[in-house]
Amino acid sequence: MGKEIVVNAQGLETRVAILENRRLVEILFEREFSQQIVGNIYLGQVENVLPGMQSAFVDVGLEKNVFVHVKDLFPLSNKEQKKRIEELLEPGQELLIQITKESLGSKGPRGTCKLNLPGRYVVLLNYVNHVGVSRRIEDKEERKRLRQLAQDIVPADKGIIVRTVAAYKSNQEIKHDLNFLLKIWDDIHEGANNSKAPALIHQDLNLIKQIVRDNFTDRIDKFILDTKEDYYQVEELVDYISPRLKSRIYYYNHPKPIFDHYDIEEEIEKLLERKVWLNCGGYITIDTTEALTAVDVNTGKYVGKDNLQQTIVKTNIEAAREISKQLRLRDIGGIIIIDFIDMKSSQDQDKVLQVLKNKLAQDKTKTNILGLTKLGLVEMTRKKERERIGQFLQQDCSYCQGTGQILSEDTIVIQAIRKIREVLWKKKKEAILLEVHPNIAAKLIGLGGKNLEKLEKRLKKNIYIKGNPELHLEKVNILKFGSREEIEKLALPVEVGDELLLEVEERHLYRSQDGIARLKGYIIDIIDGGSKVDNKVQVKVVKVTKTYAQAKIIETIN
């Protein structure tokens, strides 16, 4: 089947899956409310200089300041390179800075003043007069041609790295790519001169466009997208950078979710599991701590056919293949310790290590195998570029005080939307009643019911949401589906004329004179209740809508 790129961009999240022979090998995420910032260029202001760490923290207008080490400052003459950071920077100084690493856990983003702009065929370096050619291009004559071309076209104060995909491309195509990047650099330079820190000067491409730029090559057989807007944008971009690939772009137009059609949803769920079974019957377990990731190999149900050592070697070889796959799929970085089953023969050890090295060589993220320790453990490192999948999709469990993990609220909201779409597609009904935890209900409904209104408009269905505080945060129950009138009677927790005892939780966001209370996740706007926050009041319901009710205060209890 070859290689395919499958894009799911329905709702609040964009997911890109890379498949090889219809099996998932890489999954990437981008959410509307937390877009990636790597590659963005900001005009920042130095806030702190730390001589002891030879680094500084720069305010670029993000939630956390950007960490910059002295070696990432630019420009530095030979004389300046010997200076300490406190001699080069001072608080209040403005810097043009590019994000190189996302925020990870408690750590803020990392940045550099050595700016670069990646294109389709070349990377433009603004800080050094240098020419480089990708090591993945092995043809000596082609390397020579590309190096000579790069030397001929590189500006005197810039540098170029020729990317792998540039191999055998015409001089005109590569020059065209460079000219496009030089135009972007001119815009960045002008924007920085006309801005005051902190300010975003240049925003990198979104996830889909990055995939087109970096991954959509002749090796990809199909590029499939499930929204017309993204389909046309990708067509337009490919028409500009690689017109011959345009025929490989497809629009998926079917009510069944695209990730279900390609069986990707099930594979994503498996990425959150601790145990991964091997085809032979053995299994590996993956445990991640703050310091490192530990991978343990076990024979499990596999007992072999001949002798114990052959059973062990076969299990370890299959585990080596699976481990390399899981590291890439889960985007695990940092220090990794692998505990293979003990092997007596050094030849068997070398054989397993070689399988691991060969498989990791296919991983574009830099890895380094340090070898076996005295305890027989394999030590390796993998560059940490993003949050691992578990960190992205999950959050610390509030039910077990952080000893385990559950799905994050944003992930549950997105799953609930997918479940609504699936049920309405299968049942062909007009309306649906959903029961979720109040936190999830609030996010699905949104401020003033805007999120729910947007979802109903997109699906052209009536959706009712009921909050249940006793429900597990991850649980999404479909209570009923049918006609709008039938579902509405079951869905609304109050009627006009009802008298209720409620606690005023907060002031109304837009009408500060009013207060807000909640009944099983259902919002009740208490008229003139803004001054009663944290007090209990007896109210009478005067208006009922799908997402909220209004009530008048009859009596203040305390």
Side-chain angles (χ1 to χ4, degrees):
M1 296 294 294
K3 295 186 71 172
E4 298 168 294
I5 295 174
V6 180
V7 178
N8 169 225
Q10 299 280 356
L12 303 174
E13 182 178 61
T14 296
R15 301 182 297 173
V16 177
I18 299 176
L19 310 180
E20 291 180 3
N21 298 320
R22 283 295 178 99
R23 298 300 302 272
L24 184 66
V25 295
E26 191 169 353
I27 180 76
L28 300 164
F29 296 82
E30 184 175 72
R31 289 175 173 170
E32 289 182 11
F33 39 79
S34 58
Q35 290 189 343
Q36 296 179 21
I37 59 172
V38 167
N40 287 358
I41 297 174
Y42 297 85
L43 182 64
Q45 188 174 59
V46 178
E47 189 160 297
N48 305 102
V49 178
L50 308 177
M53 296 176 63
Q54 283 299 287
S55 60
F57 284 96
V58 182
D59 177 15
V60 300
L62 298 173
E63 184 178 348
K64 295 179 181 178
N65 288 342
V66 179
F67 175 87
V68 184
H69 192 267
V70 67
K71 66 182 178 65
D72 291 318
L73 293 179
F74 164 78
L76 295 177
S77 64
N78 291 334
K79 184 178 180 180
E80 286 175 324
Q81 289 175 10
K82 298 177 183 178
K83 290 185 177 182
R84 293 176 60 81
I85 196 166
E86 61 269 30
E87 299 176 275
L88 300 168
L89 293 183
E90 60 182 23
Q93 185 174 338
E94 290 190 350
L95 291 174
L96 206 55
I97 189 167
Q98 186 170 36
I99 306 301
T100 58
K101 185 180 288 187
E102 300 276 349
S103 294
L104 294 172
S106 60
K107 295 181 180 179
R110 183 159 185 160
T112 180
C113 298
K114 299 176 179 179
L115 311 182
N116 69 77
L117 295 174
R120 175 69 165 178
Y121 301 120
V122 300
V123 178
L124 177 65
L125 313 176
N126 86 313
Y127 59 92
V128 63
N129 183 247
H130 166 78
V131 169
V133 178
S134 169
R135 294 179 181 177
R136 292 177 181 265
I137 300 176
E138 298 178 351
D139 185 329
K140 291 183 180 180
E141 288 301 315
E142 180 62 7
R143 289 181 63 85
K144 183 179 178 181
R145 179 187 77 91
L146 292 171
R147 184 176 295 277
Q148 184 59 55
L149 172 62
Q151 289 171 347
D152 292 341
I153 64 176
V154 63
D157 60 340
K158 300 287 189 294
I160 288 181
I161 297 175
V162 181
R163 307 187 71 176
T164 307
V165 73
Y168 308 109
K169 297 300 181 292
S170 70
N171 291 3
Q172 186 178 0
E173 286 178 288
I174 296 171
K175 288 178 183 177
H176 181 63
D177 193 41
L178 175 61
N179 289 335
F180 178 68
L181 296 177
L182 289 171
K183 173 63 171 62
I184 293 176
W185 172 247
D186 288 341
D187 293 340
I188 291 170
H189 187 68
E190 182 180 352
N193 288 336
N194 296 324
S195 301
K196 184 178 179 181
L200 173 63
I201 304 299
H202 169 74
Q203 187 167 13
D204 199 15
L205 300 177
N206 64 24
L207 178 59
I208 295 176
K209 290 180 179 178
Q210 284 183 37
I211 290 296
V212 173
R213 181 189 68 194
D214 300 335
N215 297 76
F216 193 24
T217 67
D218 294 321
R219 295 182 179 181
I220 302 297
D221 298 309
K222 289 184 179 180
F223 195 123
I224 311 124
L225 305 102
D226 66 351
T227 66
K228 279 189 176 180
E229 181 182 357
D230 291 320
Y231 170 76
Y232 291 133
Q233 284 186 359
V234 169
E235 266 202 330
E236 184 179 351
L237 183 58
V238 170
D239 197 34
Y240 176 78
I241 62 175
S242 290
R244 69 188 177 283
L245 295 177
K246 199 171 177 180
S247 62
R248 304 186 189 189
I249 306 170
Y250 297 87
Y251 169 54
Y252 178 84
N253 185 20
H254 193 278
K256 185 176 182 179
I258 190 170
F259 270 27
D260 288 333
H261 177 78
Y262 283 91
D263 298 322
I264 299 170
E265 211 71 73
E266 184 180 346
E267 292 203 52
I268 293 175
E269 290 178 6
K270 289 180 180 178
L271 297 180
L272 303 177
E273 296 177 1
R274 177 174 175 265
K275 183 183 288 188
V276 181
W277 286 97
L278 306 174
N279 291 331
C280 67
Y283 65 89
I284 62 173
T285 58
I286 303 172
D287 295 291
T288 302
T289 69
E290 286 192 24
L292 53 82
T293 297
V295 184
D296 188 42
V297 182
N298 298 275
T299 54
K301 296 177 287 188
Y302 181 54
V303 295
K305 294 181 179 179
D306 299 308
N307 58 58
L308 178 60
Q309 283 306 307
Q310 287 183 345
T311 300
I312 290 171
V313 172
K314 182 175 180 180
T315 304
N316 281 341
I317 287 175
E318 191 171 332
R321 296 191 182 103
E322 187 63 35
I323 290 167
S324 62
K325 174 185 171 183
Q326 292 295 324
L327 294 181
R328 183 181 174 189
L329 271 172
R330 299 180 187 225
D331 215 352
I332 295 173
I335 300 170
I336 300 161
I337 303 295
I338 306 172
D339 185 10
F340 285 108
I341 306 168
D342 289 340
M343 295 171 285
K344 294 180 180 179
S345 166
S346 59
Q347 289 182 328
D348 291 339
Q349 293 176 354
D350 292 340
K351 189 186 298 183
V352 171
L353 279 177
Q354 193 57 50
V355 170
L356 183 64
K357 288 177 182 177
N358 291 343
K359 286 296 178 180
L360 289 174
Q362 301 171 19
D363 189 348
K364 289 196 293 186
T365 301
K366 185 179 179 181
T367 59
N368 184 23
I369 298 177
L370 305 176
L372 283 165
T373 69
K374 292 181 180 179
L375 295 175
L377 305 173
V378 174
E379 289 183 328
M380 65 169 287
T381 60
R382 186 174 186 270
K383 188 176 180 182
K384 189 181 290 186
E385 296 182 330
R386 295 182 294 266
E387 285 183 312
R388 56 185 173 83
I389 293 299
Q391 287 176 309
F392 184 83
L393 295 179
Q394 297 174 313
Q395 66 183 23
D396 285 343
C397 177
S398 57
Y399 297 95
C400 59
Q401 303 302 313
T403 59
Q405 289 187 314
I406 61 169
L407 295 175
S408 69
E409 290 181 6
D410 289 331
T411 300
I412 299 167
V413 167
I414 291 168
Q415 285 190 348
I417 292 172
R418 290 194 194 111
K419 194 167 186 176
I420 292 169
R421 291 174 61 89
E422 181 182 359
V423 171
L424 290 176
W425 171 65
K426 287 181 178 179
K427 302 300 180 181
K428 312 295 184 186
K429 298 295 182 180
E430 183 183 11
I432 187 170
L433 175 58
L434 196 72
E435 183 186 50
V436 293
H437 189 277
N439 290 10
I440 306 303
K443 288 203 169 192
L444 281 168
I445 294 169
L447 191 62
K450 288 184 178 179
N451 291 352
L452 184 58
E453 182 181 348
K454 188 176 178 181
L455 182 61
E456 287 184 321
K457 187 176 180 181
R458 185 186 304 149
L459 299 180
K460 298 179 181 178
K461 302 288 183 179
N462 291 280
I463 302 167
Y464 294 83
I465 298 169
K466 183 178 181 181
N468 181 355
E470 297 180 4
L471 205 64
H472 190 286
L473 193 70
E474 292 184 335
K475 193 71 174 176
V476 177
N477 290 334
I478 305 297
L479 296 181
K480 189 77 175 176
F481 41 83
S483 68
R484 184 186 62 79
E485 293 80 9
E486 179 185 6
I487 300 303
E488 188 173 73
K489 287 180 182 179
L490 294 172
L492 301 180
V494 297
E495 294 180 353
V496 173
D498 285 353
E499 293 188 4
L500 307 167
L501 179 63
L502 300 170
E503 181 175 344
V504 183
E505 298 176 10
E506 60 191 299
R507 287 180 182 271
H508 196 287
L509 185 62
Y510 298 116
R511 298 187 301 278
S512 59
Q513 72 273 19
D514 290 357
I516 294 294
R518 290 178 176 83
L519 183 64
K520 295 183 179 179
Y522 184 76
I523 293 174
I524 299 180
D525 176 8
I526 301 176
I527 300 169
D528 296 326
S531 61
K532 309 293 184 182
V533 173
D534 295 330
N535 291 315
K536 289 186 177 180
V537 293
Q538 189 79 22
V539 300
K540 184 174 183 178
V541 178
V542 296
K543 179 182 178 181
V544 177
T545 72
K546 182 183 294 185
T547 57
Y548 77 99
Q550 274 192 331
K552 290 183 177 179
I553 297 176
I554 300 173
E555 179 185 5
T556 301
I557 306 302
N558 60 2

